[in-house]
Amino acid sequence: MKLEFLQRKFWAATRQDLDCFVIDNNGFILISKRSHETGRFLGEVDGAVMTQLLSMGVFSQVTMYDYQAMCKPSSHHHSAAQPLVSPISAFLTATRWLLQELVLFLLEWSVWGSWYDRGAEAKSVFHHSHKQKKQDQLQPCDTEYPVFVYQPAIREANGIIECGPCQKVFVVQQIPNSNLLLLVTDPTCDCSIFPPVLQEATEVKYNASVKCERMRSQKLRRRPDSCHAFHPEENAQDCGGASDTSASLPLLLLPLCVWGLLPHLLR
């Protein structure tokens, strides 16, 4: 059954002056009046109702762990002093900077003729990628995040949420023979004073002893005892072909042309 068909049948059977949601047993919205809310977590859309469902025991929070996550490194330093730089490292850094400046210099000049516009575009892409490379340096880490699970012992629940000058009424009921729930709320009362319930992941900080114990408990991966490099249903003619490639003469001559034109451009 397609989602569009289910939505049409659902709105034909419900009143249009109420906010009606169909959510799954983890609190994600499957059907809503507003199409942009489909697929989102109920706590992000209506934090007041989700908070009340948690306090009533309709949903329970479970902490899950991701042991293969990537996190940004901490920005704090143990000392305000600059780290020592070896002469070789300083030389490589200066060489890299000179090469980058040379590439940008060649892209800025019109020596490329019709390639000038493409050079400007390549320059902007180079700057953007270089900036992204500096900003997106991640390191392996462990994270934890909340997951919300419906308690099937509670088949129906209702309540009233005090939202300052008004009250918000809601009813939630389990849909028989499914893992879905029907949630009906009053849209006239604004409960934005309640913060949203999010499922953001946070990094797990270990002390030295716990971190060493985790590293000892991790099982070492080993290679399989036998090698399976061939399958009878595999067509070997579809593989390879890299040896057929040949060098391009214009590309080989391009650095020589640039090197010859560079003294004239610097005059």
Side-chain angles (χ1 to χ4, degrees), residues 47 59 104 109 117:
F59 280 88
L104 293 177
W109 283 83
D117 295 333

Side-chain angles (χ1 to χ4, degrees), residues 200-241:
E200 295 180 346
T202 57
E203 183 178 359
V204 180
K205 299 291 186 179
Y206 299 105
N207 56 38
S209 60
V210 175
K211 189 172 184 178
C212 291
E213 186 63 29
R214 278 202 68 250
M215 295 181 66
R216 293 194 191 97
S217 63
Q218 290 179 348
K219 296 182 178 180
L220 297 177
R221 301 182 63 182
R222 62 182 181 86
R223 299 180 62 180
D225 298 331
S226 59
C227 180
H228 304 276
F230 174 76
H231 192 274
E233 298 181 2
E234 179 183 4
N235 185 4
Q237 296 180 356
D238 296 336
C239 304

Side-chain angles (χ1 to χ4, degrees), residues 140-247:
C141 65
D142 295 348
T143 59
E144 62 179 10
Y145 56 95
V147 174
F148 302 91
V149 182
Y150 166 67
Q151 301 301 313
I154 304 178
R155 298 184 176 274
E156 183 177 353
N158 59 80
I160 300 176
I161 306 173
E162 297 290 341
C163 301
C166 61
Q167 294 179 336
K168 186 169 188 175
V169 182
F170 70 92
V171 177
V172 60
Q173 186 175 19
Q174 183 187 26
I175 299 177
N177 303 322
S178 71
N179 66 331
L180 306 179
L181 301 171
L182 173 62
L183 174 64
V184 181
T185 64
D186 180 12
T188 59
C189 183
D190 183 15
C191 287
S192 58
I193 59 175
F194 285 84
V197 180
L198 304 178
Q199 292 184 304
E200 295 180 346
T202 57
E203 183 178 359
V204 180
K205 299 291 186 179
Y206 299 105
N207 56 38
S209 60
V210 175
K211 189 172 184 178
C212 291
E213 186 63 29
R214 278 202 68 250
M215 295 181 66
R216 293 194 191 97
S217 63
Q218 290 179 348
K219 296 182 178 180
L220 297 177
R221 301 182 63 182
R222 62 182 181 86
R223 299 180 62 180
D225 298 331
S226 59
C227 180
H228 304 276
F230 174 76
H231 192 274
E233 298 181 2
E234 179 183 4
N235 185 4
Q237 296 180 356
D238 296 336
C239 304
S243 59
D244 297 336
T245 59
S246 59

Side-chain angles (χ1 to χ4, degrees), residues 94-126:
T95 304
R96 191 183 303 111
W97 178 81
L98 288 175
L99 291 177
Q100 292 174 357
E101 292 298 320
L102 178 61
V103 172
L104 293 177
F105 173 78
L106 294 176
L107 291 175
E108 288 176 353
W109 283 83
S110 59
V111 65
W112 303 99
S114 61
W115 290 72
Y116 177 75
D117 295 333
R118 297 185 181 181
E121 181 182 358
K123 176 186 174 183
S124 63
V125 172
F126 176 81

